[in-house]
Amino acid sequence: MEKKLAEYKCDTNEAISLKLVRFPEDVDDDGTTFHPEYSHQLFGDDEVVFGYKGLQIQLFYTAGNLSTLFKVKYSSKVSEVFDCVEPDDVEGKIREIVPAGFTCNTDDFISLLEKDANFKPFGTLLHTYTVHSEEAGELTYQIHKADITCPGFQEYHKRLQTFLMWFIETASFIDADDDRWDFFLVFEKYNKDGETLYATVGYMTVYNYYVYPDKTRPRVSQMLILPPFQGEGHGAQLLEAVHRFYCSFPKVQDITAEDPSENYVKLRDYVLVKLCQGLPSFAADKLHLGFSADMVKEAQDKLKINKKHARRVYEILRLRATDMSDEEKAREYRLEVKKRLFGPYRKNQRELAKMRKCLRPEELVSHMGQMDTQTQHEELEKSYQVVVEDYRRIIERLASQA
């Protein structure tokens, strides 16, 4: 019995099919399908649904306005074979995140697709750029800034944010009614039957926090480039455009990010180095003198970059300007980076000093045993190697874009 019931388990990441549809023939073209990276927020940590064989959950979106087709298909349901065994409510789970207004009929979806010709990007145009494609030649992209006052934007955003659940591990929906949110959207311009249409590529949400007494601190909350467009440089274009936008406001203190992922930190490093490399305080002949107050001030004043991020920029640019085959120069660089990395370990030492005053000997021993000096040095060296490897990739990417 247990073996037979196990046949009715399905991997939800495989069962869910996503599409961004431009042409009617895309609906039946498996080549345009992509799948979630995550589905645990809806279907639990195992990312498994019970009760179906051959389960297919179709979530297809028109490329521009993201009008939605939602269908659930399966070859067999457990309740058809076993009495008193109920399948999971797949449809109910998906309805929790997909806003009302979707269709379950393919013909109706094709009609909605025809209306996509009338879709125009929301908000104001900030930046236009091109990307060369082997198949299609030069493709044009636009970055727009929108807010909730743009007609139709709130409904569009509700459809757009459903993608977060499938591609950001700890995603949550935002309260878009708050007027302190800024939205930055990336669109591709493309031709269809002689007309210019727009396809949604990705987006970023930024919340404007108040900083006493009269400043704001924009904080990046969510950022997603949709899978068909990943690896083409759109994330860097978007982040750079957002930075340049906020740099034009004297009241902006600096630009930060909420709980950034490793990939976001690497992307930010690349963009900030690109922006800072032309500043006088970061000139090659200044780098070997060390991280300076001039660097902090210029990065803050001209590019709204805080001290912590400016320090990373300095380390990357100094690595680029350092001949690492020269032992003395390499040693100087290594010590400079390790000095920053040692901060958490130094804090650990201070905490141990405080503990000595208030803990009993046996409690103190258990804390002191957490990391001896030898282990600290080994961990520090490991951290240094990881950091330098990341820095080298950024330097290579900058060289390839030059």
Side-chain angles (χ1 to χ4, degrees):
M1 179 73 168
E2 195 174 321
K3 202 172 177 182
K4 284 182 179 176
L5 288 174
E7 293 172 9
Y8 288 87
K9 284 184 177 179
C10 297
D11 179 323
T12 45
N13 289 340
E14 290 176 12
I16 297 167
S17 294
L18 304 164
K19 272 184 201 282
L20 295 164
V21 178
R22 299 186 185 194
F23 306 98
E25 52 269 29
D26 292 346
V27 171
D28 296 316
D29 179 5
D30 288 342
T32 62
T33 303
F34 55 102
H35 299 277
E37 282 181 37
Y38 310 103
S39 53
H40 61 275
Q41 300 230 54
L42 283 187
F43 296 104
D45 290 344
D46 292 338
E47 297 180 323
V48 163
V49 71
F50 170 75
Y52 307 88
K53 278 185 184 177
L55 180 66
Q56 290 180 45
I57 302 164
Q58 295 179 341
L59 278 169
F60 297 171
Y61 297 81
T62 61
N65 195 42
L66 304 180
S67 303
T68 312
L69 171 69
F70 170 39
K71 273 183 163 183
V72 177
K73 297 177 174 180
Y74 48 85
S75 56
S76 171
K77 191 155 72 166
V78 70
S79 52
E80 296 165 354
V81 181
F82 298 97
D83 293 336
C84 307
V85 181
E86 285 301 312
D88 292 339
D89 181 11
V90 171
E91 205 165 311
K93 289 281 184 193
I94 299 286
R95 281 173 185 268
E96 286 176 21
I97 64 159
V98 176
F102 60 81
T103 181
C104 298
N105 180 286
T106 305
D107 291 337
D108 291 344
F109 180 69
I110 299 298
S111 299
L112 291 169
L113 183 60
E114 287 165 13
K115 291 178 185 171
D116 235 32
N118 304 319
F119 173 77
K120 294 289 179 280
F122 298 95
T124 52
L125 175 64
L126 292 186
H127 179 54
T128 301
Y129 62 98
T130 58
V131 173
H132 182 75
S133 157
E134 291 295 319
E135 295 168 13
E138 292 290 309
L139 298 173
T140 302
Y141 297 87
Q142 294 183 346
I143 297 173
H144 288 245
K145 180 194 172 285
D147 57 48
I148 53 163
T149 62
C150 299
F153 177 70
Q154 236 174 327
E155 291 73 25
Y156 166 85
H157 174 256
K158 283 177 184 172
R159 297 189 290 275
L160 177 57
Q161 70 177 353
T162 59
F163 286 99
L164 295 177
M165 287 295 165
W166 312 127
F167 298 103
I168 295 181
E169 195 170 2
T170 55
S172 57
F173 291 165
I174 63 170
D175 173 17
D177 291 333
D178 190 328
D179 63 6
R180 282 178 291 187
W181 283 109
D182 287 333
F183 301 86
F184 298 89
L185 307 154
V186 187
F187 297 97
E188 180 193 331
K189 285 175 78 172
Y190 70 99
N191 288 313
K192 181 179 177 183
D193 303 328
E195 289 184 279
T196 298
L197 272 70
Y198 294 87
T200 300
V201 170
Y203 81 120
M204 178 189 284
T205 58
V206 180
Y207 193 80
N208 291 289
Y209 281 88
Y210 166 70
V211 178
Y212 180 84
D214 61 350
K215 300 262 183 166
T216 61
R217 173 172 285 133
R219 182 185 288 179
V220 176
S221 173
Q222 302 154 322
M223 179 178 178
L224 178 66
I225 301 298
L226 296 170
F229 303 97
Q230 287 175 6
E232 296 174 358
H234 301 295
Q237 290 281 357
L238 176 56
L239 189 53
E240 185 174 341
V242 169
H243 255 273
R244 290 191 186 279
F245 170 77
Y246 287 118
C247 284
S248 62
F249 295 97
K251 294 285 187 187
V252 169
Q253 173 98 4
D254 54 28
I255 302 158
T256 61
E258 180 186 326
D259 192 20
S261 67
E262 267 185 49
N263 284 339
Y264 179 85
V265 170
K266 288 170 188 174
L267 179 68
R268 180 175 63 197
D269 283 343
Y270 166 73
V271 169
L272 298 190
V273 169
K274 200 174 162 204
L275 290 170
C276 285
Q277 62 185 349
L279 297 179
S281 62
F282 288 89
D285 60 335
K286 306 267 180 67
L287 295 167
H288 74 282
L289 300 172
F291 186 52
S292 68
D294 286 349
M295 291 174 180
V296 176
K297 188 173 189 321
E298 195 172 18
Q300 177 86 54
D301 293 349
K302 292 184 179 175
L303 295 168
K304 313 297 183 185
I305 296 170
N306 65 30
K307 184 179 177 179
K308 182 181 170 188
H309 299 159
R311 168 76 198 204
R312 288 178 68 90
V313 168
Y314 151 74
E315 289 176 5
I316 294 165
L317 288 173
R318 180 160 174 179
L319 176 62
R320 187 171 73 174
T322 299
D323 177 4
M324 294 299 275
S325 65
D326 181 319
E327 277 188 39
E328 186 53 35
K329 287 177 181 172
R331 182 177 171 277
E332 281 176 15
Y333 180 78
R334 189 168 62 249
L335 291 175
E336 183 72 353
V337 175
K338 283 187 175 181
K339 192 166 66 180
R340 174 180 65 81
L341 293 174
F342 192 64
Y345 300 106
R346 216 169 20 232
K347 187 181 171 199
N348 194 25
Q349 294 298 328
R350 287 197 298 270
E351 284 171 358
L352 276 176
K354 285 181 198 167
M355 286 177 190
R356 281 194 180 92
K357 296 173 186 173
C358 56
L359 292 181
R360 295 196 305 276
E362 62 272 19
E363 290 175 319
L364 186 61
V365 167
S366 70
H367 281 280
M368 288 180 76
Q370 285 175 11
M371 195 175 285
D372 58 35
T373 308
Q374 176 64 28
T375 311
Q376 280 186 18
H377 284 302
E378 287 169 8
E379 288 299 315
L380 196 55
E381 180 59 26
K382 263 192 231 165
S383 299
Y384 169 76
Q385 294 297 342
V386 169
V387 163
V388 168
E389 189 58 37
D390 288 342
Y391 287 178
R392 286 191 202 282
R393 285 199 195 98
I394 289 161
I395 292 165
E396 283 167 16
R397 186 175 178 185
L398 285 163
S400 71
Q401 301 294 319

